[in-house]
Amino acid sequence: MKIAVLAGGVGGAKFLRGLRHHLSIIHPDGEGGHTDEVTAIVNTGDDVWLTGLKVCPDLDSIMYSLAGANDEVRGWGRAGESERVSAELTAFGVGWPWFTLGDLDLGTHIARSHFLREGLTLTEATRRIQSRWPSIGVRLLPVTDADVPTFVSVTDEGVDTEIHFEEWWVKHRANLPTRGFVQRGIENASVTPEARAAILEADVVLIAPSNPVVSIGTTIDIPGVRDALAETAAPVVGVSPIIDGSAVRGMAAACLTAIGVGVTAEAVGLHYGARANGGILDAWLVDSTDAGAVPALHGAGIRSRPVPLWMHDDELSGVLAAAALKTARELGI
C-alpha cells in the first residue's frame, strides 16, 4: 500500500510508530520493517529561525521518535542530551532562554541550515537529514518548502500584539488570551510537489491525532493541500485527538477554544467536515467513551466508529492504526 499521513509532532509520531509496527506484522520485509510505502506530510507552522538556525520542531520530533533517538521523558528532543551550547548562548544574550535546544539537537539544526544555505529546499534538506537514520521506515516530507511561521494574536498586559507560536506555547504555556492564529507568508506558499503527489497517489490518507488547529489545521491551510485531499481517489480517515472531552496531549483545548470549536471529538470531526460537503474527512475514529458522537457525525456525512484511542505504546498504537486501515478498506480501498 501507499499510505499518506498528515501529522504534527508528538501525537503524529506515536501514531506513525504504531502504523509502522502494524505494517511490520502484516507486510513484513524480513528485516524487521515493512513493504509498504508510508509518507508523513508534516506541519511546518511551528518552524522558526533561531540564532541563525532553521528549527523544525514537528519534523524533528517525528524523526527522532521513529529513529528511537527521542527523549521519552521530556517528550521532545534527543535522548542523552547535554545543553552546554544553549547555556553558552544564553550567556551571550542570544536566542530564547526558555526554548532550550540540546547539543545533539543543535547538530540537526546546523546541518539543516547548512543545506538550506547551499540552495537545497527544505524537502531536499529533510531527505538528507533523514538519511542519518536509514531504517525509519517512513518518508518524511514538510508540507511546504516556504517559511510559514505561525503567529498568535494575544493580549499581554493590556497590549495587543503578535508573538511566534512557540513563544505562546512554550514560554506562556498558552495562558495568554488569544484572538487567533495566522501563518505569515502563506499567501506565497504552496504544497510541495512531493507532498501533493503523496496525497494524490495514496491508497489511503490518514489524519493523525495531532492538534486540530496548529498542526493539522495549519497543514491543510497551505495552498494546494485541500485541493489534493478533494481530488485524491483514496479514502481519508482521521483519528480524534480528543478523548472524553479532553485533549490527549498538549494545549489543543486552548487552540480549539480560541477559534470557537468545542473540545469534543464530535466538534473536531464536524470542524474538519465531510469530503462530500467540502471538508476533508470520509471517516473519523472516536474513542469508545465518545460513542455518543457517532450518530451526529454520520448525519453530517462522516463515517464514524468508536475504538480505543489511547496510544500508550507501539502495540496499542498499532491496534489503532489497524482500525484506521480497516475503516479505509470498508470505504473501498
Side-chain angles (χ1 to χ4, degrees):
M1 287 186 293
K2 290 185 177 181
I3 304 170
V5 184
L6 273 60
V10 177
K14 287 188 173 185
F15 183 75
L16 285 162
R17 283 174 54 163
L19 176 62
R20 182 182 63 179
H21 175 77
H22 173 65
L23 295 176
S24 72
I25 295 172
I26 64 170
H27 299 147
D29 64 2
E31 298 179 356
H34 58 83
T35 58
D36 298 291
E37 183 179 313
V38 180
T39 300
I41 299 164
V42 182
N43 167 50
T44 58
D46 295 12
D47 294 5
V48 62
W49 282 94
L50 188 64
T51 62
L53 301 177
K54 175 75 165 178
V55 181
C56 300
D58 281 5
L59 277 166
D60 292 342
S61 290
I62 291 173
M63 179 175 65
Y64 296 154
S65 182
L66 290 170
N70 61 312
D71 188 326
E72 295 279 3
V73 176
R74 292 191 300 180
W76 53 273
R78 294 277 299 275
E81 274 286 18
S82 54
E83 297 177 352
R84 296 182 66 188
V85 174
S86 281
E88 198 69 4
L89 290 172
T90 298
F92 285 123
V94 298
W96 292 336
W98 42 265
F99 193 75
T100 303
L101 300 173
D103 298 337
L104 295 173
D105 194 25
L106 279 164
T108 300
H109 309 321
I110 292 169
R112 177 186 295 115
S113 304
H114 168 76
F115 293 142
L116 293 174
R117 290 191 175 99
E118 279 195 328
L120 273 65
T121 64
L122 182 58
T123 296
E124 294 166 335
T126 300
R127 183 171 63 247
R128 290 267 195 101
I129 291 168
Q130 182 177 345
S131 67
R132 163 76 169 76
W133 290 283
S135 301
I136 283 179
V138 176
R139 178 175 62 146
L140 302 181
L141 292 178
V143 64
T144 183
D145 287 326
D147 283 346
V148 286
T150 300
F151 277 73
V152 186
S153 301
V154 300
T155 301
D156 187 11
E157 297 182 353
V159 178
D160 293 340
T161 187
E162 282 189 351
I163 61 176
H164 192 280
F165 169 75
E166 291 292 352
E167 183 174 355
W168 181 73
W169 190 258
V170 178
K171 182 180 180 180
H172 297 288
R173 305 299 296 170
N175 287 322
L176 290 180
T178 177
R179 299 182 305 281
F181 308 88
V182 60
Q183 292 168 270
R184 291 187 180 176
I186 194 170
E187 65 278 2
N188 299 316
S190 62
V191 64
T192 67
E194 295 85 353
R196 175 175 167 79
I199 294 172
L200 293 178
E201 296 170 7
D203 295 307
V204 58
V205 177
L206 303 177
I207 310 294
S210 301
N211 189 304
V213 181
V214 293
S215 292
I216 302 303
T218 296
T219 297
I220 62 178
D221 281 346
I222 297 296
V225 174
R226 285 184 181 272
D227 289 343
L229 289 171
E231 293 172 26
T232 185
V236 180
V237 179
V239 180
S240 174
I242 306 298
I243 295 177
D244 195 22
S246 297
V248 174
R249 186 178 179 87
M251 292 159 277
C255 298
L256 288 166
T257 300
I259 66 169
V261 175
V263 187
T264 67
E266 177 183 331
V268 174
L270 295 175
H271 171 66
Y272 283 155
R275 263 212 306 173
N277 299 319
I280 66 169
L281 295 176
D282 292 313
W284 183 236
L285 301 186
V286 301
D287 188 67
S288 304
T289 58
D290 294 311
V294 169
L297 291 161
H298 281 184
I302 302 171
R303 179 86 63 88
S304 183
R305 71 189 322 162
V307 297
L309 295 190
W310 288 106
M311 299 186 292
H312 294 304
D313 53 40
D314 288 356
E315 287 73 21
L316 287 174
S317 300
V319 172
L320 174 56
L325 293 178
K326 179 182 179 182
T327 301
R329 285 196 298 273
E330 293 171 351
L331 291 168
I333 70 167

